[in-house]
């Protein structure tokens, strides 16, 4: 009599091993791959559970055991109109990695989870950095399965068992609202289609900070979805006599700056642009000297991300942690 598929005994998994050994699934992966230091006592428990269950790791995990390539995989987002921002991150990460004796392998985010699995199968990388995460990101699961130490630049909805390094976007939202109120603004126009990008962890956290803070001070928040070139005009249409409107965007900052400079809106007291920019705006144009500017600290975040990954790689028993970097005003 044939045995149905449901009646067949399933082979043990790494999760079964983790439960029997009393450790996390990622710890089992670390033991199998040798990608992170593990205490002898923990290793012994995991190996004993493997023997008792008859677990057989896949060939990729066996290949990775004790491998030290000196290569960090960096998964970058697809370049857009702010690709200069992306290059700031890539350049800073590469320089800091080289300072610690590591090289960088770039992987594009378009490949998603499949790209992660492809890179892991090659056995080239001994650790990973993921940039620009969604709130629920499909790339996290295959990274955890790989057993490789990893750092995310971006804070997903749930702590992903790897370290997190990012700007404190909720604080950024509160800072923007507070400045708009201090400057006598009646509303805050957020350009760059933020509501359509709530799936991104940075945008969702920023909007949470804005909405919480604006609710307390009754500042009207307008989410703008249209072309960046028309931002100054739309802000003007919203502004009634004896009122003032603040403008801010996480993305599209450079385009909005140029649009406001071209229309004369930068010297119009009815509209206040607050800029998120990592460069000194005065060096771009003297017209921008009066623009309140927040530094997103991208170079520092990049350097911290690499240092955190090196800590996970080199320090036995090092656990993942969250590091949120505070945005700060650029003093004019």
């Amino acid at each position: 009599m044939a045995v149905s598929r449901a009646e067949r005994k399933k082979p043990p998994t790494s999760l079964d091993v983790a439960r029997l050994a009393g450790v996390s699934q990622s710890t089992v992966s670390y033991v199998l791959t040798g990608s992170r230091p593990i205490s002898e006592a923990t290793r012994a428990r995991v190996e004993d559970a493997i023997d008792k269950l008859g677990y057989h790791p896949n060939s990729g995990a066996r290949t990775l055991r004790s491998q030290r390539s000196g290569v960090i995989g960096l998964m970058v987002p697809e370049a857009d109109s702010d690709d200069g921002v992306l290059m700031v991150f890539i350049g800073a990460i590469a320089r800091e990695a080289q300072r610690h004796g590591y090289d960088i392998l770039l992987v594009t985010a378009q490949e998603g989870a499949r790209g992660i699995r492809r890179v892991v199968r090659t056995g080239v990388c001994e650790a990973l950095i993921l940039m620009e995460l969604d709130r629920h990101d499909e790339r996290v699961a295959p990274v955890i399965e790989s057993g490789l130490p990893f750092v995310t630049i971006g804070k997903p909805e749930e702590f992903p068992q790897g370290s997190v390094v990012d700007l404190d976007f909720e604080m950024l939202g509160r800072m923007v609202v507070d400045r708009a109120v201090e400057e006598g603004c009646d509303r805050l126009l957020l350009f760059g289609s933020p509501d359509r990008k709530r799936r991104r962890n940075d945008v969702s956290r920023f909007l949470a900070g804005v909405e919480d803070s604006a609710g307390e001070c009754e500042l009207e928040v307008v989410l703008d979805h249209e072309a960046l070139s028309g931002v100054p005009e739309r802000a003007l249409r919203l502004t009634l006599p004896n009122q003032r409107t603040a403008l801010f965007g996480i993305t599209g900052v450079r385009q909005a700056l140029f649009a406001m400079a071209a229309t004369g809106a930068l010297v119009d007291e009815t509209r206040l642009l607050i800029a998120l920019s990592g460069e000194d705006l005065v060096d771009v144009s003297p017209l921008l000297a009066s623009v309140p500017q927040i530094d997103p600290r991208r170079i520092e975040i990049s350097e911290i991300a690499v240092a955190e990954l090196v800590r996970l790689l080199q320090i036995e028993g090092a656990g993942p942690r969250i590091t949120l970097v505070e945005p700060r005003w650029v003093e004019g």
Side-chain angles (χ1 to χ4, degrees):
M1 178 177 166
V3 178
S4 68
R5 181 176 297 178
E7 292 173 324
R8 292 174 190 159
K9 186 177 179 181
K10 293 181 180 179
T13 66
S14 60
L15 181 58
D16 297 324
V17 174
R19 287 170 176 163
L20 182 59
V23 298
S24 68
Q25 191 173 9
S26 58
T27 298
V28 175
S29 296
Y30 297 148
V31 171
L32 292 171
T33 63
S35 57
R36 225 176 83 176
I38 297 294
S39 70
E40 287 304 317
T42 300
R43 180 181 299 278
R45 289 208 315 275
V46 171
E47 290 178 345
D48 183 57
I50 288 172
D51 291 340
K52 287 179 179 176
L53 292 172
Y55 172 67
H56 298 288
N58 61 43
S59 57
R62 288 194 298 268
T63 300
L64 285 168
R65 182 187 292 274
S66 301
Q67 182 167 327
R68 291 292 180 266
S69 64
V71 176
I72 293 171
L74 173 61
M75 178 164 271
V76 298
E78 184 176 1
D80 57 16
S81 57
D82 284 332
D83 56 356
V85 171
L86 175 60
M87 291 310 299
V88 170
F89 279 105
I90 293 174
I93 289 170
R95 288 191 298 272
E96 188 67 9
Q98 189 173 46
R99 193 174 73 82
H100 287 280
Y102 291 91
D103 293 317
I104 291 294
L105 174 67
L106 288 181
V107 186
T108 58
Q110 297 96 302
E111 297 180 77
R114 182 173 59 181
I116 293 288
R117 292 189 176 96
R118 177 180 60 79
V119 170
V120 169
R121 280 197 303 269
T122 66
V124 171
C125 300
E126 58 178 283
L128 298 167
I129 297 176
L130 277 66
M131 290 182 60
E132 196 175 287
L133 272 71
D134 289 342
R135 292 166 62 192
H136 305 280
D137 202 294
E138 67 168 6
R139 295 173 294 169
V140 172
V143 174
I144 293 174
E145 291 168 8
S146 75
L148 296 176
F150 70 100
V151 171
T152 65
I153 298 180
K155 183 177 177 291
E157 198 88 336
E158 297 178 359
F159 190 47
Q161 300 184 36
S163 284
V164 171
V165 179
D166 203 10
L167 190 72
D168 189 335
F169 280 96
E170 289 191 24
M171 176 180 285
L172 174 65
R174 294 193 295 271
M175 288 171 62
V176 171
V177 169
D178 290 346
R179 185 60 177 263
V181 172
E182 289 172 10
E183 296 282 352
C185 295
D186 302 277
R187 71 188 48 77
L188 170 63
L189 185 148
L190 301 177
F191 57 81
S193 303
D195 202 36
R196 296 175 183 172
K197 298 176 182 176
R198 280 185 187 264
R199 73 179 191 285
R200 283 177 36 175
N201 79 88
D202 54 347
V203 175
S204 65
R205 288 155 48 213
F206 168 73
L207 288 176
V210 166
E211 290 161 356
D212 286 348
S213 191
E216 295 172 0
C217 59
E218 298 184 352
L219 180 75
E220 179 187 0
V221 177
V222 179
L223 304 179
D224 186 77
H225 305 301
E226 298 182 51
L228 294 169
S229 59
V231 164
E233 181 183 348
R234 291 194 295 278
L236 185 60
R237 289 202 304 265
L238 287 170
T239 308
L240 300 176
N242 301 316
Q243 288 191 348
R244 197 178 195 201
T245 297
L247 302 91
F248 183 86
I250 289 182
T251 60
V253 177
R254 180 175 286 269
Q255 295 94 317
L257 280 168
F258 289 150
M260 294 193 73
T263 61
L266 288 174
V267 293
D268 180 355
E269 285 299 315
T270 66
R271 287 163 289 180
L272 171 72
L273 177 67
I274 302 173
L276 182 70
S277 178
E279 58 187 328
D280 191 339
L281 296 181
V282 178
D283 293 340
V284 177
S285 169
L287 292 173
L288 304 179
S290 61
V291 175
Q293 180 182 345
I294 300 176
D295 183 359
R297 306 181 69 179
R298 295 174 183 127
I299 292 177
E300 292 147 289
I301 288 170
S302 302
E303 293 173 345
I304 293 170
V306 174
E308 180 62 17
L309 196 58
V310 170
R311 183 185 72 87
L312 293 175
L313 281 165
Q314 297 183 358
I315 299 179
E316 181 174 355
R321 60 190 180 185
I322 297 175
T323 304
L324 295 181
V325 178
E326 295 184 2
R328 61 188 178 195
W329 291 103
V330 176
E331 300 298 330

